[in-house]
Amino acid sequence: LGGFVSIENTPTDWLRWNAGIRLDHLDGDFGQTAVIDYGVIVQPKLNIFVSLNESLLAFANAGRSFQHPFGTSLFDPARDVSINDGWELGLKWNPTDQFSLRTAYWQQLASDEFTAVDGNSLNVGETDRSGIDVSLAWNPTEELSIWGDYNHNFSEISGPGSAAAGTRGNRLRSIPDYTFSVGGSYKINDCLTARVHVDGQGSYHVNEANDGGTFGDYVLVNAGFDYKTESGLWSLQVNNLLDRDYEYVFDLGRLGTIHSPGDGLNASLSYTLEF
């Protein structure tokens, strides 16, 4: 059971804001002995936008969300929901209609995080995430569009739970150091458009103990073409153009690690009918 209420206001031409609050109530049972009642979970939200001049916008937001246990941990009386408090502060710059740049710093604190391992909720403990985001979009001509984004991530177990002893200060599992994507498109003529983009990420640890090495880094090149006809659109997409090897690795604890290879060079052709 839940509900929310919000309010927004623009008191001046340079300031606008909105705020809200969401309430959720979770309870249930599984027979007579497995009963849960997490009570009412209060989640406030706030967003503020300030126009510093015609081309520069400052923004800030803060809010609360939650994560509830699952599986058998859902009915563990010693477990409660994990409260996640986060905030973000940033700038967006639009010096011209053809160019925009956005940068922000954010942080999220979780009171008692857990993750899924072999179908169960593994109690990680208190966690601290933060990051720097940068994105841009540029249209130097009517035919050419260029865009890119970069995210640098920091993660830390600030108060270990029951998952493993001695994990305070370690990095969280499956969170890469960074991710990025850069690409562009070029309109060759009224019918044909070419696209290319490069996606990549850094490596990550596979468990809270941070042992067993790091995995998951890759850089992939993808390309495509769109051809517009009178009745629809043909799209050719080619992924992993250089046929790079990469994998997703997940730790199952006593059962070891799962190594799932990513797709090699592959292509798809689709047609969208417009009527």
Side-chain angles (χ1 to χ4, degrees), residues 115-118 172-176 201-208 213-218 220 244-252 256-264:
T115 187
V117 177
D118 196 22
L172 293 169
R173 68 168 63 202
S174 302
I175 298 180
Q201 70 175 34
S203 59
Y204 52 79
H205 288 281
V206 296
N207 52 48
E208 286 69 32
T214 58
F215 303 89
D217 57 314
Y218 64 77
L220 303 178
R244 299 297 189 187
D245 292 332
Y246 68 104
E247 62 180 353
Y248 174 72
V249 181
F250 193 79
D251 189 3
L252 290 177
T257 54
I258 290 179
H259 294 251
S260 178
D263 293 331

Side-chain angles (χ1 to χ4, degrees), residues 125-136:
E126 297 178 13
T127 62
D128 184 351
R129 286 178 170 86
S130 58
I132 298 172
D133 299 341
V134 180
S135 62
L136 63 87

Side-chain angles (χ1 to χ4, degrees), residues 5 15 25 30 45 66 68 76 84 108 111 117 147 157 181 184 200 211 218 224 227 230 244 253 255 261-262:
V5 62
L15 173 65
H25 182 268
F30 188 72
K45 314 282 184 181
F66 72 94
H68 65 76
D76 184 348
N84 306 319
Q108 183 188 63
S111 65
V117 177
W147 53 268
I157 300 174
S181 186
D211 57 16
Y218 64 77
Y227 186 79
E230 293 183 357
R244 299 297 189 187
L255 300 179

Side-chain angles (χ1 to χ4, degrees), residues 12-271:
T12 70
D13 57 358
W14 55 268
L15 173 65
R16 57 189 173 96
W17 61 272
N18 60 72
I21 187 168
R22 179 184 174 95
L23 306 175
D24 285 278
H25 182 268
L26 302 178
D27 63 28
D29 66 85
F30 188 72
Q32 297 296 321
T33 58
V35 178
I36 60 168
D37 188 349
Y38 293 125
V40 177
I41 306 163
V42 181
Q43 304 151 78
K45 314 282 184 181
L46 174 65
N47 296 279
I48 300 174
F49 306 91
V50 180
S51 297
L52 302 177
N53 54 45
E54 292 184 355
S55 62
L56 190 60
L57 176 72
F59 58 89
N61 60 73
R64 170 172 289 181
S65 60
F66 72 94
Q67 179 191 28
H68 65 76
F70 56 90
T72 56
S73 299
L74 186 65
F75 297 99
D76 184 348
R79 297 298 304 277
D80 198 356
V81 295
S82 176
I83 299 298
N84 306 319
D85 291 316
W87 60 272
E88 181 185 39
L89 182 65
L91 293 170
K92 186 175 182 181
W93 183 43
N94 288 93
T96 68
D97 293 337
Q98 291 76 36
F99 181 85
S100 67
L101 174 67
R102 182 189 187 278
T103 182
Y105 177 82
W106 58 270
Q107 184 180 38
Q108 183 188 63
L109 304 174
S111 65
D112 189 19
E113 185 172 339
F114 45 88
T115 187
V117 177
D118 196 22
N120 295 314
S121 301
L122 182 68
N123 180 220
V124 177
E126 297 178 13
T127 62
D128 184 351
R129 286 178 170 86
S130 58
I132 298 172
D133 299 341
V134 180
S135 62
L136 63 87
W138 184 34
N139 300 93
T141 67
E142 292 184 0
E143 296 80 18
L144 179 62
S145 297
I146 299 172
W147 53 268
D149 61 74
Y150 176 83
N151 316 98
H152 200 92
N153 305 303
F154 308 91
S155 67
E156 182 182 62
I157 300 174
S158 52
S162 60
T167 58
R168 184 188 296 271
N170 287 2
R171 287 170 50 191
L172 293 169
R173 68 168 63 202
S174 302
I175 298 180
D177 296 328
Y178 62 87
T179 61
F180 74 88
S181 186
V182 61
S185 64
Y186 184 76
K187 188 175 181 180
I188 300 173
N189 53 45
D190 291 340
C191 298
L192 184 61
T193 300
R195 296 174 281 103
V196 63
H197 61 97
V198 180
D199 304 313
Q201 70 175 34
S203 59
Y204 52 79
H205 288 281
V206 296
N207 52 48
E208 286 69 32
N210 287 180
D211 57 16
T214 58
F215 303 89
D217 57 314
Y218 64 77
V219 177
L220 303 178
V221 180
N222 311 284
F225 290 93
D226 294 331
Y227 186 79
K228 187 172 181 59
T229 67
E230 293 183 357
S231 59
L233 181 71
W234 285 99
S235 294
L236 173 65
Q237 179 66 35
V238 182
N239 299 310
N240 196 358
L241 194 62
L242 303 180
D243 199 23
R244 299 297 189 187
D245 292 332
Y246 68 104
E247 62 180 353
Y248 174 72
V249 181
F250 193 79
D251 189 3
L252 290 177
R254 292 174 298 174
L255 300 179
T257 54
I258 290 179
H259 294 251
S260 178
D263 293 331
L265 173 64
N266 65 93
S268 63
L269 179 66
S270 64
Y271 179 72

